Amino acid sequence: MKPAHAVLALAASQVVGIALTERHRRRKLTVAMESMHQDSIARLMEQPLQLADQKPTGMTAEEFQTAIQANLALSLLHVKFRVGLLDLVSLRTQAEVAMRRRGVRLYWQHFAKLREQEASDRLDDKFNEVFRCEFDFCQDVEAARSDTAA
């Protein structure tokens, strides 16, 4: 092997090592931030005045509290997907189960656009797409039920 090839191989392996280290660091940071987010939401739920202050217009206090509780579940699923604990098939299954809950549908109805605006990469976009599709499917099912009931 020529010395130039050996140097290139060594440099390439170092670049791969740096990339893997950075990916691991980002995953650890994501998990740490999720813990902080969960704690923050839990504290918010214990403070009715602060909860009322953050309630969007057009939602009752009870609806907002339900949506915030759903946010806890969605946030955890998002982190699990982001760090690789859920693949796309598992995420779709989790989305289907989550959207059976009225609170999750309520949350998605009111905050999906915000989630889409906050999306920073393809993983966020894919997560939102999976939940948007499942939400749309649930809406179609509800509309079909309404049509047959009428």
Side-chain angles (χ1 to χ4, degrees), residues 86-104:
L86 291 176
D87 62 11
L88 200 52
V89 173
S90 299
L91 179 63
R92 283 190 178 109
T93 301
Q94 293 294 323
E96 179 184 341
V97 170
M99 283 297 172
R100 291 179 191 159
R101 295 174 44 206
R102 183 185 70 81
V104 174

Side-chain angles (χ1 to χ4, degrees), residues 78 82 118-129:
H78 183 253
R82 177 164 278 293
E118 290 177 336
S120 63
D121 60 20
R122 65 179 178 76
L123 287 174
D124 290 343
D125 291 338
K126 184 54 76 176
F127 181 90
N128 290 339
E129 177 187 338

Side-chain angles (χ1 to χ4, degrees), residues 10-138:
L10 179 62
S13 70
Q14 292 299 314
V15 167
V16 169
I18 290 169
L20 289 173
T21 299
E22 177 61 17
R23 185 172 85 179
H24 180 71
R25 185 191 68 77
R26 286 177 145 285
R27 285 181 174 179
K28 282 178 67 174
L29 182 60
T30 298
V31 170
M33 291 302 296
E34 175 60 16
S35 177
M36 292 170 59
H37 178 259
Q38 296 280 335
D39 290 345
S40 172
I41 295 295
R43 281 193 308 277
L44 177 64
M45 297 295 288
E46 295 169 355
Q47 300 173 0
L49 291 178
Q50 188 177 9
L51 189 65
D53 185 49
Q54 295 188 23
K55 181 183 75 62
T57 307
M59 286 184 93
T60 67
E62 182 182 329
E63 287 175 331
F64 186 53
Q65 188 169 13
T66 301
I68 291 297
Q69 289 170 339
N71 182 14
L72 288 170
L74 287 176
S75 178
L76 183 60
L77 288 174
H78 183 253
V79 168
K80 289 171 82 173
F81 178 64
R82 177 164 278 293
V83 300
L85 297 176
L86 291 176
D87 62 11
L88 200 52
V89 173
S90 299
L91 179 63
R92 283 190 178 109
T93 301
Q94 293 294 323
E96 179 184 341
V97 170
M99 283 297 172
R100 291 179 191 159
R101 295 174 44 206
R102 183 185 70 81
V104 174
R105 292 191 308 274
L106 178 69
Y107 172 86
W108 200 260
Q109 179 182 350
H110 285 277
F111 297 106
K113 287 198 187 319
L114 177 63
R115 289 189 73 98
E116 289 172 5
Q117 291 170 349
E118 290 177 336
S120 63
D121 60 20
R122 65 179 178 76
L123 287 174
D124 290 343
D125 291 338
K126 184 54 76 176
F127 181 90
N128 290 339
E129 177 187 338
V130 166
F131 273 84
R132 181 177 50 251
C133 288
E134 192 57 39
F135 178 78
D136 291 346
F137 177 76
C138 287

